[in-house]
Amino acid sequence: MSSSRSSEKEPITRRRFLTATALGAAGLGLYSGEFERHHLEITYPEVRLPNLPPVFDGFRMAQLSDIHLDMFTEPYFLRDIVARINRLRPDAVFLTGDFVTHQWLPHKYPIHAAWACARILDGIECTRRYAILGNHDVVVSAQAVTAALTASRIPVLRNSFAPLELGASRLWLAGLDDPVEGHPDLDQAIPEFLRDRADQPVLLMCHAPDYADTVLAHPAGKSVAFMLSGHTHGGQIRAPFLGPMVLPDLGKKYVEGLFQLQGMQLYVNRGLGTVGVPVRFNCPPELTCITLRRA
């Protein structure tokens, strides 16, 4: 006669419960800290703009944001991203701020990281490449981060602008100083002579996406067809059914993706790096490849 004990389930003891919980937490930590943090998603939105010159129909722009090199983003990971950008063969590359991280260590460490970051980004083969500063860059040293990028032939648009030309047609690219820690000036970035040119739309780079509301309220805002931002990391850690756990100042309203606003469109990139903790959950890093289309 067989014993009934073989068919009975063993009781769940406190030790087994704690062991299973610890293993689950360790597995989740490994997934979010190593796998998802490095599991890049390349997104391909199409943005339709009114009055886009015909020659710019199909113009492709790669956007990379919030690199935060050396705090938690490893140089090898950024080099891999640069290689991916080159394989995309974009017509322009826009870098929307936070190349380094403001941290508790002396400023010489993130400044060193800024130069290392710029040297890696110099591997981007596209000749049309532009940057703006983020809040971390401004706090660490706007001057040092700008010097590093310009030494690697990456112009920094800080309340300034540059033309994007194809043949006889032109778009204008404007860049703002960071709204959180800097001093954005729309009158300098988009002066009077750039406004109300129906055949020459303005693209605006601004690190903090919620500043879009200020842009729309400004006289220059009517000329901005498309704004590119980062800053939010998409929330970085997004709990199921709850959404982002923590969002930064001026990054609480427009968190990620494409937004249709009052006569202006906005794209918020989730960024490459992390802050606070080296973890992403339900929110992978993003490289955006945007295609412009005539509306």
Side-chain angles (χ1 to χ4, degrees):
M1 186 172 71
S2 61
S3 172
S4 62
R5 291 184 180 179
S6 60
S7 62
E8 293 179 357
K9 293 183 179 180
E10 296 184 6
I12 299 177
T13 64
R14 181 173 181 273
R15 176 178 293 179
R16 288 185 177 181
F17 174 78
L18 292 176
T19 300
T21 301
L23 290 174
L28 181 61
L30 180 64
Y31 169 82
S32 57
E34 290 300 321
F35 178 76
E36 183 160 347
R37 186 167 66 87
H38 295 109
H39 186 62
L40 182 76
E41 180 180 1
I42 304 179
T43 55
Y44 297 89
E46 286 195 352
V47 175
R48 297 189 174 273
L49 300 182
N51 303 318
L52 184 72
V55 71
F56 279 96
D57 187 60
F59 192 81
R60 296 194 309 145
M61 312 179 300
Q63 182 194 4
L64 183 64
S65 196
D66 299 270
I67 295 169
H68 292 285
L69 191 74
D70 266 5
M71 184 61 178
F72 297 125
T73 301
E74 305 90 343
Y76 81 84
F77 188 36
L78 180 57
R79 283 191 288 269
D80 178 65
I81 303 308
V82 168
R84 294 186 186 213
I85 291 173
N86 291 337
R87 288 196 292 271
L88 290 171
R89 301 183 65 83
D91 298 300
V93 178
F94 300 145
L95 307 167
T96 46
D98 275 0
F99 299 90
V100 296
T101 302
H102 171 58
Q103 51 194 341
W104 58 90
L105 296 174
H107 278 195
K108 67 178 182 179
Y109 294 103
I111 289 173
H112 174 79
W115 285 89
C117 182
R119 285 192 293 269
I120 296 172
L121 292 172
D122 195 21
I124 295 173
E125 295 169 356
C126 180
T127 56
R128 295 187 192 93
R129 50 193 194 180
Y130 298 90
I132 58 170
L133 300 182
N135 54 303
H136 285 263
D137 304 319
V138 173
V139 173
V140 166
S141 172
Q143 182 178 3
V145 176
T146 299
L149 291 166
T150 54
S152 290
R153 301 170 297 167
I154 301 172
V156 177
L157 300 180
R158 195 176 184 198
N159 297 328
S160 58
F161 57 89
L164 299 175
E165 298 176 323
L166 284 179
S169 298
R170 175 184 294 163
L171 303 179
W172 290 98
L173 177 66
L176 286 175
D177 194 10
D178 174 67
V180 177
E181 297 290 348
H183 299 90
D185 190 328
L186 280 160
D187 289 313
Q188 287 189 36
I190 311 172
E192 290 282 352
F193 81 91
L194 291 188
R195 303 176 192 177
D196 303 320
R197 295 191 175 195
D199 60 337
Q200 296 182 7
V202 175
L203 312 181
L204 176 65
M205 294 195 296
C206 176
H207 184 66
D210 290 0
Y211 197 73
D213 292 341
T214 301
V215 173
L216 289 170
H218 191 279
K222 297 178 182 178
S223 302
V224 179
F226 184 40
M227 177 171 149
L228 299 97
S229 298
H231 185 50
T232 68
H233 297 208
Q236 190 170 311
I237 300 173
R238 300 177 64 95
F241 310 111
L242 297 177
M245 302 301 291
V246 178
L247 290 169
D249 291 340
L250 289 180
K252 301 179 187 297
K253 184 176 181 180
Y254 307 115
V255 177
E256 65 165 326
L258 184 63
F259 297 87
Q260 304 282 341
L261 306 180
Q262 304 168 13
M264 181 181 81
Q265 297 183 67
L266 164 68
Y267 193 87
V268 185
N269 178 285
R270 291 194 302 270
L272 183 67
T274 61
V275 293
V277 290
V279 167
R280 278 184 177 268
F281 183 73
N282 198 25
C283 187
E286 177 183 9
L287 169 63
T288 313
C289 186
I290 301 165
T291 301
L292 296 183
R293 294 294 184 190
R294 285 171 59 84

